[in-house]
Structures are given as structure tokens and as C-alpha cells.
Amino acid sequence: MKTRAQISLTDFVDFVIKNGMPRLTKVREIKDRDDYHPYKDFWRQVREGISEMHNRDYSTDYLDEIAQRQTDPRKIKRFPEAIASYKKFLGRKKVTWFDPPKEKWVMGDLTININPELGLVINDRPYLIKLFFKDEKLDKRKSEVVFHIMEEQLRYKVSPDTNMSILDVKSSKLLTPTTPPDNVSILLRAEANTFMQILG
């Protein structure tokens, strides 16, 4: 039977930016991973809490309450840090919510789920935002992968002036491309084929 796979955009980006043996390790990790369970998703409560706060027009106290409910020592430490960084990003900006679209990017036998967490109009400019919580540096190459896939698959679902963006939560920085990257589409299709070859 032919192998088919469905993975998250985050997993695909992690694969693309790696070289050599770490690529094999990443594919094995994805292949051997148990089915998704919310309790195993470390950042789920913060991620969903941010969306809920904007969607329901709550104050940022809502996020602080999420942090205060934690019992896991790692979350007790990490959640307040992430929330403080997100609040720093918001600052005094005028922010309103719109529902972010979702889509799937299908390349051969590989399907990638594209689920940006936030649709925000910030100071009268619309942004479709993917949240990035990891400690590792969000470099240009990783950013270009996300920008391109979001642009290719979600552009038709949003207004022409919507910015495809990534929020590096740790640094409180919103990253938005100024010009479309060259030849990324060809690269990504090749990477999708490589992923499936390794997956077997």
C-alpha cells in the first residue's frame, strides 16, 4: 500500500530547515508519534487562550488566569514568560479579531495542515498570524517556508491587503515578508518528495 502522510505546518518547517541525520530523526519522530491528544500539546492552552481572548474581546487578564491555573512545573515557569512576551507585542496597539481561514497543502501523498492561529486587524492593517513558541531562533529560511505556504494556500480566502505573518512569541516580534521569496515553490515540492521518500 502506498504511504500517505498528513502533518502540521510546524512539523514540515522543522524538517525543511534540517540537514543530514537530523532530517531522518525528525521523520522518525513524526512517524512514531502517538495520535494527537490535547494534554500532550504543551502550548495549547496559551495558543487557544490568545485566540479566545481576541475573539471574545477579553482583557489580557484572561491569559494571566490561564498561567495561574497550571500545576505542571514546566508550564508554571514557561507560560508566564510567553504571556508577558505576547502582552509586550500587543502594547498599546488597536487590535480587532477576524476568523483565520484554514486550508490543506497537498503535494503528492503528503498533506500539510495550515492553521494560522490569529486573524487580527492591528492599527487598521489585517494580519494572518502563525504563532511560534519555540526557543530556537526563527531564521529567514524557516520564515520563508511559512510565508510561502500561507501565501499560496490562503491568499484567496482573505482580503488582498492581508499580511501573512509569524509572531515570534519569545522575542515579541511580528515577522512579515516585504517581497515574495524566489523559487521557494520549487524547493518546497522537492522537500515534500524527500520527506515522503524518507518516510517510506
Side-chain angles (χ1 to χ4, degrees):
M1 182 180 294
K2 198 170 186 180
T3 301
R4 297 182 183 276
Q6 183 163 316
I7 64 175
S8 70
L9 177 57
T10 299
D11 278 336
F12 185 64
V13 172
D14 285 346
F15 169 76
V16 167
I17 66 170
K18 295 181 186 304
N19 295 300
M21 288 302 296
R23 286 192 148 203
L24 301 177
T25 302
K26 181 63 184 179
V27 175
R28 291 195 189 104
E29 173 201 320
I30 294 170
K31 186 175 183 179
D32 296 339
R33 185 185 295 160
D34 294 335
D35 292 338
Y36 175 82
H37 293 289
Y39 72 88
K40 294 182 179 180
D41 185 341
F42 185 84
W43 290 110
R44 179 184 63 85
Q45 292 177 73
V46 176
R47 195 172 59 243
E48 292 180 355
I50 290 172
S51 298
E52 186 83 356
M53 178 190 72
H54 288 297
N55 192 11
R56 297 183 179 272
D57 200 24
Y58 293 154
S59 75
T60 54
D61 291 345
Y62 181 69
L63 299 180
D64 295 326
E65 291 168 5
I66 291 174
Q68 291 164 8
R69 292 198 299 266
Q70 302 309 309
T71 57
D72 182 328
R74 296 177 305 151
K75 293 181 180 180
I76 289 173
K77 179 179 185 298
R78 300 296 303 280
F79 278 21
E81 294 173 349
I83 289 167
S85 295
Y86 188 76
K87 289 162 75 171
K88 179 181 177 182
F89 157 71
L90 289 179
R92 296 181 178 275
K93 299 179 180 72
K94 181 178 70 173
V95 178
T96 56
W97 169 268
F98 66 90
D99 290 330
K102 298 180 180 180
E103 190 53 270
K104 295 181 185 297
W105 185 69
V106 180
M107 178 48 55
D109 296 307
L110 179 64
T111 299
I112 298 173
N113 298 320
I114 307 167
N115 303 319
E117 291 86 0
L118 306 178
L120 300 179
V121 178
I122 303 173
N123 296 336
D124 300 321
R125 294 187 63 190
Y127 294 83
L128 200 55
I129 300 173
K130 182 71 182 170
L131 295 173
F132 183 84
F133 286 98
K134 295 189 177 183
D135 290 330
E136 64 190 279
K137 183 179 179 181
L138 185 57
D139 60 25
K140 182 179 179 182
R141 186 180 176 197
K142 175 176 282 193
S143 302
E144 285 180 349
V145 172
V146 179
F147 291 146
H148 181 82
I149 293 178
M150 288 175 64
E151 180 71 35
E152 186 175 279
Q153 299 301 317
L154 300 175
R155 172 56 63 192
Y156 77 99
K157 292 191 170 189
V158 295
S159 63
D161 61 340
T162 299
N163 297 279
M164 303 296 177
S165 303
I166 307 169
L167 178 63
D168 187 348
V169 176
K170 184 177 181 179
S171 67
S172 307
K173 291 183 179 179
L174 185 66
L175 308 176
T176 302
T178 53
T179 57
D182 295 329
N183 302 320
V184 175
S185 183
I186 296 172
L187 169 65
L188 292 181
R189 283 161 174 74
E191 295 287 7
N193 290 332
T194 301
F195 180 93
M196 293 306 300
Q197 289 171 7
I198 295 174
L199 187 66

